[in-house]
């Protein structure tokens, strides 16, 4: 569909339903239930940890809701080496409150990128 036909009518206007969905997915609006999504919590945890550490997270390896908000496991490149498989990674546990504000974080593990996880 062309950019000028976003609502499917040929009018060039965006569909209100699609605009609402886009705002929700970007984290700006809460769903009708009042709860934020796991995707929103992942972006929030990664972004705030990056702000504190000054390093961009590589991935979010776990996310779960808690009674008070969210808890995420975030993988961060701590020391870049060559070859890349010897780079040092860190896993951080990030705790968010219900509003998505970071209330705590801690590094729970350090490992080389090429290392396989032997935990169950």
């Amino acid at each position: 569909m062309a950019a000028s036909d976003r609502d499917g009518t040929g009018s060039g206007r965006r569909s209100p339903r699609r605009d609402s969905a886009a705002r929700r997915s970007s984290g700006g609006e809460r769903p009708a239930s009042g709860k934020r999504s796991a995707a929103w919590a992942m972006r929030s945890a990664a972004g705030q940890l990056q702000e504190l550490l000054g390093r961009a997270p590589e991935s979010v390896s776990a996310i779960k809701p808690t009674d008070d908000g969210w808890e995420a496991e975030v993988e961060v490149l701590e020391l870049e080496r060559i070859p890349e498989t010897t780079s040092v990674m860190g896993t951080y546990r990030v705790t968010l409150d219900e509003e998505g504000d970071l209330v705590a974080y801690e590094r729970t593990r350090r490992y080389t990128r090429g290392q396989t996880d032997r935990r169950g």
Side-chain angles (χ1 to χ4, degrees), residues 64-78:
K64 67 179 179 179
T66 65
D67 291 338
D68 301 323
W70 293 89
E71 189 173 282
E73 300 285 325
V74 182
E75 309 300 320
V76 176
L77 174 63
E78 295 199 332

Side-chain angles (χ1 to χ4, degrees), residues 51-63:
E51 199 173 310
L52 290 170
L53 299 178
R55 297 184 202 106
E58 296 271 316
S59 65
V60 176
S61 56
I63 186 84

Side-chain angles (χ1 to χ4, degrees), residues 4 24 26-27 30 32-33 49 55-56 58-59 63 67-68 73 87 103 114:
S4 63
R24 269 198 309 279
S26 68
R30 285 185 187 221
S33 67
L49 187 62
R55 297 184 202 106
E58 296 271 316
S59 65
I63 186 84
D67 291 338
D68 301 323
E73 300 285 325
S87 292
V103 294

Side-chain angles (χ1 to χ4, degrees), residues 3-104:
S4 63
D5 192 18
R6 295 185 188 202
D7 66 356
T9 66
S11 67
R13 294 183 322 218
R14 293 187 71 115
S15 162
R17 189 175 72 212
R18 285 187 183 163
D19 283 347
S20 178
R23 278 194 305 275
R24 269 198 309 279
S25 69
S26 68
E29 184 178 300
R30 285 185 187 221
S33 67
K35 292 187 178 183
R36 301 272 191 174
S37 70
W40 168 85
M42 288 173 66
R43 287 189 300 272
S44 183
Q48 290 180 74
L49 187 62
Q50 178 176 354
E51 199 173 310
L52 290 170
L53 299 178
R55 297 184 202 106
E58 296 271 316
S59 65
V60 176
S61 56
I63 186 84
K64 67 179 179 179
T66 65
D67 291 338
D68 301 323
W70 293 89
E71 189 173 282
E73 300 285 325
V74 182
E75 309 300 320
V76 176
L77 174 63
E78 295 199 332
L79 182 59
E80 192 167 5
R81 292 186 176 158
I82 298 174
E84 200 172 275
T85 55
T86 62
S87 292
V88 178
M89 304 292 296
T91 301
Y92 288 81
R93 180 178 298 124
V94 178
T95 305
L96 304 175
D97 65 13
E98 291 175 342
E99 298 300 315
D101 293 323
L102 190 146
V103 294

